[in-house]
Short mmCIF file of all heavy atoms in Angstrom, two decimals:
data_model
loop_
_atom_site.label_atom_id
_atom_site.label_comp_id
_atom_site.label_asym_id
_atom_site.label_seq_id
_atom_site.Cartn_x
_atom_site.Cartn_y
_atom_site.Cartn_z
N ARG R 351 16.21 0.35 -62.67
CA ARG R 351 14.79 0.70 -62.79
C ARG R 351 14.27 1.15 -61.43
O ARG R 351 14.39 0.44 -60.44
CB ARG R 351 13.99 -0.48 -63.32
CG ARG R 351 14.33 -0.83 -64.77
CD ARG R 351 13.62 -2.08 -65.24
NE ARG R 351 14.14 -3.27 -64.57
CZ ARG R 351 13.64 -4.49 -64.77
NH1 ARG R 351 12.61 -4.67 -65.57
NH2 ARG R 351 14.17 -5.52 -64.15
N VAL R 352 13.65 2.34 -61.42
CA VAL R 352 13.18 2.95 -60.18
C VAL R 352 11.69 3.25 -60.31
O VAL R 352 11.25 3.89 -61.28
CB VAL R 352 13.95 4.26 -59.89
CG1 VAL R 352 13.46 4.89 -58.58
CG2 VAL R 352 15.44 4.01 -59.84
N ILE R 353 10.90 2.79 -59.35
CA ILE R 353 9.46 3.06 -59.32
C ILE R 353 9.15 3.97 -58.13
O ILE R 353 9.50 3.64 -57.00
CB ILE R 353 8.65 1.76 -59.20
CG1 ILE R 353 8.84 0.90 -60.45
CG2 ILE R 353 7.17 2.04 -58.96
CD1 ILE R 353 8.20 -0.48 -60.35
N VAL R 354 8.53 5.10 -58.40
CA VAL R 354 8.13 6.04 -57.35
C VAL R 354 6.61 6.12 -57.33
O VAL R 354 5.99 6.54 -58.32
CB VAL R 354 8.73 7.44 -57.57
CG1 VAL R 354 8.38 8.36 -56.40
CG2 VAL R 354 10.25 7.35 -57.75
N LEU R 355 6.01 5.70 -56.23
CA LEU R 355 4.55 5.62 -56.11
C LEU R 355 4.03 6.59 -55.06
O LEU R 355 4.55 6.64 -53.94
CB LEU R 355 4.13 4.19 -55.73
CG LEU R 355 4.53 3.08 -56.70
CD1 LEU R 355 4.26 1.72 -56.07
CD2 LEU R 355 3.77 3.22 -58.01
N GLY R 356 3.00 7.35 -55.42
CA GLY R 356 2.33 8.23 -54.49
C GLY R 356 0.90 7.80 -54.26
O GLY R 356 0.31 7.06 -55.07
N THR R 357 0.29 8.24 -53.19
CA THR R 357 -1.03 7.83 -52.74
C THR R 357 -2.06 7.76 -53.86
O THR R 357 -2.15 8.65 -54.71
CB THR R 357 -1.54 8.81 -51.67
OG1 THR R 357 -0.60 8.84 -50.59
CG2 THR R 357 -2.91 8.41 -51.14
N MET R 358 -2.85 6.69 -53.87
CA MET R 358 -4.04 6.57 -54.73
C MET R 358 -5.24 6.99 -53.90
O MET R 358 -5.52 6.38 -52.86
CB MET R 358 -4.21 5.12 -55.22
CG MET R 358 -3.01 4.57 -55.97
SD MET R 358 -3.25 2.85 -56.53
CE MET R 358 -3.34 1.98 -54.96
N ARG R 359 -5.94 8.00 -54.34
CA ARG R 359 -6.99 8.59 -53.51
C ARG R 359 -8.37 8.02 -53.83
O ARG R 359 -8.58 7.35 -54.83
CB ARG R 359 -6.99 10.11 -53.67
CG ARG R 359 -5.69 10.74 -53.14
CD ARG R 359 -5.76 12.24 -53.09
NE ARG R 359 -4.65 12.78 -52.32
CZ ARG R 359 -4.46 14.07 -52.09
NH1 ARG R 359 -5.30 14.97 -52.58
NH2 ARG R 359 -3.42 14.47 -51.38
N GLU R 360 -9.32 8.31 -52.93
CA GLU R 360 -10.74 7.98 -53.07
C GLU R 360 -10.99 6.48 -53.16
O GLU R 360 -11.81 6.01 -53.95
CB GLU R 360 -11.35 8.70 -54.28
CG GLU R 360 -11.32 10.22 -54.14
CD GLU R 360 -12.06 10.90 -55.28
OE1 GLU R 360 -13.22 10.52 -55.56
OE2 GLU R 360 -11.50 11.83 -55.87
N LEU R 361 -10.28 5.71 -52.34
CA LEU R 361 -10.48 4.27 -52.32
C LEU R 361 -11.24 3.80 -51.08
O LEU R 361 -11.47 2.60 -50.92
CB LEU R 361 -9.12 3.55 -52.40
CG LEU R 361 -8.38 3.72 -53.73
CD1 LEU R 361 -6.99 3.12 -53.65
CD2 LEU R 361 -9.16 3.11 -54.88
N GLY R 362 -11.63 4.72 -50.23
CA GLY R 362 -12.47 4.38 -49.09
C GLY R 362 -11.85 3.34 -48.18
O GLY R 362 -10.64 3.34 -47.92
N ASP R 363 -12.68 2.43 -47.71
CA ASP R 363 -12.23 1.39 -46.78
C ASP R 363 -11.25 0.41 -47.43
O ASP R 363 -10.56 -0.33 -46.73
CB ASP R 363 -13.43 0.60 -46.24
CG ASP R 363 -14.32 1.46 -45.34
OD1 ASP R 363 -13.83 2.49 -44.85
OD2 ASP R 363 -15.49 1.09 -45.15
N ALA R 364 -11.21 0.41 -48.75
CA ALA R 364 -10.31 -0.51 -49.46
C ALA R 364 -8.92 0.08 -49.68
O ALA R 364 -8.07 -0.55 -50.30
CB ALA R 364 -10.91 -0.89 -50.82
N ALA R 365 -8.66 1.28 -49.17
CA ALA R 365 -7.40 1.97 -49.47
C ALA R 365 -6.18 1.17 -49.06
O ALA R 365 -5.24 0.99 -49.85
CB ALA R 365 -7.39 3.35 -48.81
N ALA R 366 -6.15 0.67 -47.83
CA ALA R 366 -4.96 -0.06 -47.36
C ALA R 366 -4.73 -1.31 -48.20
O ALA R 366 -3.60 -1.60 -48.62
CB ALA R 366 -5.12 -0.41 -45.88
N ARG R 367 -5.81 -2.07 -48.47
CA ARG R 367 -5.66 -3.29 -49.27
C ARG R 367 -5.16 -2.96 -50.67
O ARG R 367 -4.26 -3.64 -51.19
CB ARG R 367 -7.00 -4.02 -49.36
CG ARG R 367 -6.96 -5.22 -50.30
CD ARG R 367 -8.31 -5.89 -50.44
NE ARG R 367 -9.35 -5.02 -50.96
CZ ARG R 367 -9.47 -4.71 -52.25
NH1 ARG R 367 -8.60 -5.18 -53.16
NH2 ARG R 367 -10.45 -3.93 -52.66
N CYS R 368 -5.73 -1.93 -51.29
CA CYS R 368 -5.34 -1.58 -52.66
C CYS R 368 -3.88 -1.13 -52.72
O CYS R 368 -3.14 -1.50 -53.64
CB CYS R 368 -6.26 -0.49 -53.20
SG CYS R 368 -7.94 -1.05 -53.56
N HIS R 369 -3.47 -0.33 -51.75
CA HIS R 369 -2.07 0.10 -51.73
C HIS R 369 -1.13 -1.09 -51.51
O HIS R 369 -0.07 -1.19 -52.15
CB HIS R 369 -1.86 1.17 -50.67
CG HIS R 369 -2.34 2.53 -51.08
ND1 HIS R 369 -3.63 2.94 -50.89
CD2 HIS R 369 -1.69 3.55 -51.69
CE1 HIS R 369 -3.77 4.17 -51.37
NE2 HIS R 369 -2.61 4.56 -51.86
N ASP R 370 -1.54 -2.00 -50.63
CA ASP R 370 -0.70 -3.19 -50.40
C ASP R 370 -0.62 -4.06 -51.65
O ASP R 370 0.45 -4.60 -51.97
CB ASP R 370 -1.25 -4.00 -49.23
CG ASP R 370 -1.02 -3.32 -47.88
OD1 ASP R 370 -0.37 -2.26 -47.85
OD2 ASP R 370 -1.52 -3.86 -46.87
N ASP R 371 -1.73 -4.19 -52.38
CA ASP R 371 -1.73 -4.98 -53.61
C ASP R 371 -0.73 -4.40 -54.62
O ASP R 371 0.04 -5.14 -55.26
CB ASP R 371 -3.12 -5.02 -54.23
CG ASP R 371 -4.09 -5.90 -53.45
OD1 ASP R 371 -3.63 -6.67 -52.58
OD2 ASP R 371 -5.30 -5.79 -53.71
N ILE R 372 -0.75 -3.08 -54.79
CA ILE R 372 0.14 -2.44 -55.76
C ILE R 372 1.58 -2.47 -55.26
O ILE R 372 2.53 -2.63 -56.05
CB ILE R 372 -0.33 -1.00 -56.06
CG1 ILE R 372 -1.72 -1.03 -56.71
CG2 ILE R 372 0.67 -0.29 -56.97
CD1 ILE R 372 -1.80 -1.88 -57.97
N SER R 373 1.78 -2.35 -53.96
CA SER R 373 3.14 -2.49 -53.42
C SER R 373 3.72 -3.85 -53.78
O SER R 373 4.89 -3.97 -54.17
CB SER R 373 3.12 -2.30 -51.90
OG SER R 373 2.83 -0.97 -51.56
N LYS R 374 2.91 -4.90 -53.65
CA LYS R 374 3.38 -6.25 -54.00
C LYS R 374 3.70 -6.35 -55.49
O LYS R 374 4.70 -6.97 -55.87
CB LYS R 374 2.31 -7.28 -53.62
CG LYS R 374 2.10 -7.42 -52.11
CD LYS R 374 0.90 -8.32 -51.81
CE LYS R 374 0.62 -8.37 -50.32
NZ LYS R 374 -0.61 -9.12 -50.00
N VAL R 375 2.86 -5.73 -56.34
CA VAL R 375 3.12 -5.75 -57.78
C VAL R 375 4.45 -5.06 -58.07
O VAL R 375 5.25 -5.54 -58.88
CB VAL R 375 1.97 -5.06 -58.54
CG1 VAL R 375 2.32 -4.89 -60.02
CG2 VAL R 375 0.68 -5.86 -58.41
N ALA R 376 4.70 -3.95 -57.41
CA ALA R 376 5.95 -3.21 -57.63
C ALA R 376 7.15 -4.02 -57.17
O ALA R 376 8.18 -4.09 -57.85
CB ALA R 376 5.89 -1.87 -56.90
N LEU R 377 7.01 -4.66 -56.02
CA LEU R 377 8.12 -5.46 -55.48
C LEU R 377 8.42 -6.67 -56.35
O LEU R 377 9.57 -7.12 -56.42
CB LEU R 377 7.79 -5.89 -54.06
CG LEU R 377 7.80 -4.76 -53.01
CD1 LEU R 377 7.05 -5.18 -51.77
CD2 LEU R 377 9.22 -4.37 -52.67
N GLU R 378 7.41 -7.18 -57.02
CA GLU R 378 7.59 -8.35 -57.88
C GLU R 378 7.96 -7.99 -59.31
O GLU R 378 8.14 -8.87 -60.16
CB GLU R 378 6.29 -9.17 -57.89
CG GLU R 378 5.96 -9.80 -56.54
CD GLU R 378 4.53 -10.33 -56.48
OE1 GLU R 378 3.81 -10.20 -57.50
OE2 GLU R 378 4.14 -10.84 -55.41
N SER R 379 8.08 -6.69 -59.60
CA SER R 379 8.30 -6.23 -60.97
C SER R 379 9.74 -6.36 -61.43
O SER R 379 10.03 -6.20 -62.62
CB SER R 379 7.89 -4.76 -61.09
OG SER R 379 8.79 -3.93 -60.36
N GLY R 380 10.64 -6.61 -60.49
CA GLY R 380 12.05 -6.63 -60.84
C GLY R 380 12.72 -5.28 -60.74
O GLY R 380 13.90 -5.13 -61.06
N ALA R 381 11.98 -4.26 -60.27
CA ALA R 381 12.56 -2.93 -60.11
C ALA R 381 13.68 -2.96 -59.07
O ALA R 381 13.62 -3.72 -58.10
CB ALA R 381 11.49 -1.92 -59.70
N ASP R 382 14.68 -2.11 -59.27
CA ASP R 382 15.82 -2.07 -58.37
C ASP R 382 15.55 -1.23 -57.12
O ASP R 382 16.10 -1.51 -56.05
CB ASP R 382 17.03 -1.50 -59.11
CG ASP R 382 17.40 -2.34 -60.32
OD1 ASP R 382 17.97 -3.42 -60.12
OD2 ASP R 382 17.10 -1.91 -61.45
#
Side-chain angles (χ1 to χ4, degrees):
R351 292 175 291 177
V352 180
I353 295 173
V354 184
L355 300 170
T357 302
M358 303 180 295
R359 295 189 168 181
E360 297 186 50
L361 293 173
D363 293 340
R367 174 183 60 78
C368 289
H369 282 87
D370 288 356
D371 288 346
I372 297 304
S373 292
K374 292 172 185 174
V375 172
L377 289 162
E378 294 167 0
S379 68
D382 300 285

